[in-house]
């Protein structure tokens, strides 16, 4: 009994934000099966809550029963990775309060895993630098390293080369996701059959433009995602008709990010629709957000 009390006393509650891609350019395919990309990533106010405590066995529970809570979940992969890298030998109990839609291109699973790495480091005396955690995190997913930036970053390679950027002013953002999700490997595999979109863009020029507020909004994975889920073509048209200035797929979808203010509320039955704000963290603190 005293052991249990000890475990819960040191429980951490952490916000785990979603991300959106303002632009996403695929610059080539690689021999390891991945693709090189160049993308502006931004963390947003939509997010999950993670409750983390040391325990006598690894245990993951979640409010969303459709989420696998076995070793395939990136959260438990992150716990294992932390143990392997640091020699930490405790077990961990995690409760995930899920709000970020799944199979959406919003980076929910990657964010959860990055949050767990941060949390375990904090729970065990913060012995490892953010840079170290970021470097390790690439072993479990291409999107994880981004979450160790301060929330705004230009990412290249397969996503793991992260260049931190200062905060950017964005137009109002609304995330819209239909019930159907998309699988990232399926969208990338469809992309291979379509081929690269030729774009004459230079990284440094695109970063400078973004910092000056001259944002590009595009996603080279859109044609592949729209072939995988043709309803997205009609949904995007409908959203543009309600008055949003730009509507683009985030990541490999199926969520769309709408920029600007619509004239009328986009009525789409059974859809996830939420206004979001960009969210940045300060150095040495994890992301915080009062959830609505
Ligand atoms: O790295 P992660 O496990 O999130 O990637 C999932 C899948 O997405 C990969 O197996 C690959 O098919 C595809 N992918 C890609 N190029 C990237 C990132 C992901 O082809 N830069």
């Amino acid at each position: 009994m005293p052991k249990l009390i000890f475990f819960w006393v040191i429980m951490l509650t952490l916000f785990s934000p979603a991300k959106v891609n303002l632009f996403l350019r695929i610059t080539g395919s690689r021999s390891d099966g991945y693709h090189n990309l160049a993308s502006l990533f931004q963390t947003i106010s939509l997010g999950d809550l993670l409750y983390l405590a040391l325990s006598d066995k690894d245990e993951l529970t979640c409010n969303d029963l459709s989420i696998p809570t076995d070793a395939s979940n990136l959260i438990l992969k992150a716990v294992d990775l932390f143990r392997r890298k640091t020699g930490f030998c405790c077990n961990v109990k995690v409760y995930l309060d899920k709000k970020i839609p799944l199979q959406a291109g919003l980076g929910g699973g990657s964010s959860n895993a990055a949050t767990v790495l941060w949390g375990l480091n904090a729970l065990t005396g913060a012995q490892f630098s953010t840079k170290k955690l970021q470097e390790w995190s690439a072993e479990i997913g291409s999107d994880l390293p981004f979450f160790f930036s301060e929330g705004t970053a230009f990412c290249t390679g397969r996503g793991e080369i992260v260049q931190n950027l200062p905060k950017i002013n964005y137009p109002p953002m609304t995330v819209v996701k239909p019930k159907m999700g998309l699988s990232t490997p399926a969208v990338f595999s469809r992309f291979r059959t379509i081929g690269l979109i030729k774009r004459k863009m230079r990284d440094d020029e695109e970063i400078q433009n973004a910092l000056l507020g001259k944002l590009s909004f595009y996603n080279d994975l859109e044609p592949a995602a729209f072939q995988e889920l043709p309803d997205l073509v009609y949904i995007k048209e409908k959203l543009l008709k309600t008055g949003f200035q730009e509507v683009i797929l985030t990541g490999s979808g199926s969520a769309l990010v709408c920029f600007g203010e619509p004239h009328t509320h986009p009525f789409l039955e059974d859809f996830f629709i939420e206004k979001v704000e960009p969210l940045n963290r300060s150095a040495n603190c994890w992301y915080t957000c009062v959830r609505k």
Side-chain angles (χ1 to χ4, degrees), residues 139-215:
E139 289 184 25
I140 46 177
S142 310
D143 278 354
L144 267 79
F146 158 69
F147 289 95
F148 293 96
S149 71
E150 287 174 19
T152 309
F154 182 70
C155 300
T156 51
R158 62 182 170 89
E160 87 289 12
I161 304 170
V162 179
Q163 180 181 342
N164 295 323
L165 295 179
K167 285 185 193 174
I168 291 178
N169 284 325
Y170 304 103
M173 291 191 265
T174 305
V175 171
V176 175
K177 187 200 165 261
K179 257 204 160 141
M180 288 279 289
L182 280 170
S183 127
T184 303
V187 172
F188 272 103
S189 131
R190 176 78 71 158
F191 177 85
R192 274 180 187 272
T193 67
I194 297 176
L196 286 180
I197 295 168
K198 286 199 179 70
R199 289 188 189 272
K200 285 191 187 137
M201 304 286 211
R202 287 186 28 222
D203 292 359
D204 49 353
E205 214 172 286
E206 226 168 1
I207 294 170
Q208 278 318 311
N209 283 341
L211 293 176
L212 292 171
K214 285 189 271 170
L215 282 158

Side-chain angles (χ1 to χ4, degrees), residues 20-193:
V20 291
N21 300 88
L22 280 299
F23 60 80
L24 195 162
R25 182 158 27 103
I26 305 288
T27 56
S29 50
R30 308 165 26 140
S31 53
D32 60 5
Y34 284 83
H35 294 79
N36 281 325
L37 52 82
S39 178
L40 175 59
F41 280 63
Q42 175 64 54
T43 39
I44 55 172
S45 54
L46 166 66
D48 301 332
L49 284 178
L50 274 169
Y51 301 83
L52 208 66
L54 301 182
S55 181
D56 50 0
K57 65 172 174 38
D58 285 346
E59 191 187 345
L60 171 62
T61 46
C62 181
N63 61 325
D64 180 343
L65 298 179
S66 71
I67 293 179
T69 50
D70 61 4
S72 68
N73 192 300
L74 286 183
I75 288 180
L76 292 180
K77 287 192 180 171
V79 173
D80 254 353
L81 180 80
F82 190 77
R83 269 197 293 255
R84 247 188 312 118
K85 296 290 184 185
T86 64
F88 165 71
C89 56
C90 281
N91 295 93
V92 184
K93 182 151 129 180
V94 184
Y95 176 72
L96 169 63
D97 182 0
K98 185 48 89 182
K99 182 143 190 246
I100 306 172
L102 309 183
Q103 294 204 303
L106 292 165
S110 304
S111 170
N112 294 165
T115 304
V116 164
L117 288 176
W118 175 278
L120 288 180
N121 192 40
L123 273 178
T124 54
Q127 295 177 68
F128 302 95
S129 66
T130 307
K131 201 151 183 40
K132 250 301 154 249
L133 300 175
Q134 183 176 50
E135 191 187 303
W136 297 340
S137 71
E139 289 184 25
I140 46 177
S142 310
D143 278 354
L144 267 79
F146 158 69
F147 289 95
F148 293 96
S149 71
E150 287 174 19
T152 309
F154 182 70
C155 300
T156 51
R158 62 182 170 89
E160 87 289 12
I161 304 170
V162 179
Q163 180 181 342
N164 295 323
L165 295 179
K167 285 185 193 174
I168 291 178
N169 284 325
Y170 304 103
M173 291 191 265
T174 305
V175 171
V176 175
K177 187 200 165 261
K179 257 204 160 141
M180 288 279 289
L182 280 170
S183 127
T184 303
V187 172
F188 272 103
S189 131
R190 176 78 71 158
F191 177 85
R192 274 180 187 272
T193 67

Side-chain angles (χ1 to χ4, degrees), residues 196-249:
L196 286 180
I197 295 168
K198 286 199 179 70
R199 289 188 189 272
K200 285 191 187 137
M201 304 286 211
R202 287 186 28 222
D203 292 359
D204 49 353
E205 214 172 286
E206 226 168 1
I207 294 170
Q208 278 318 311
N209 283 341
L211 293 176
L212 292 171
K214 285 189 271 170
L215 282 158
S216 313
F217 302 98
Y218 63 86
N219 183 339
D220 285 354
L221 291 174
E222 245 183 35
F226 286 14
Q227 277 190 18
E228 284 289 299
L229 185 54
D231 279 1
L232 283 173
V233 178
Y234 152 79
I235 296 164
K236 177 167 174 164
E237 271 170 23
K238 188 163 174 168
L239 288 166
L240 283 168
K241 279 196 188 127
T242 65
F244 287 116
Q245 287 151 20
E246 299 279 352
V247 176
I248 52 152
L249 188 83

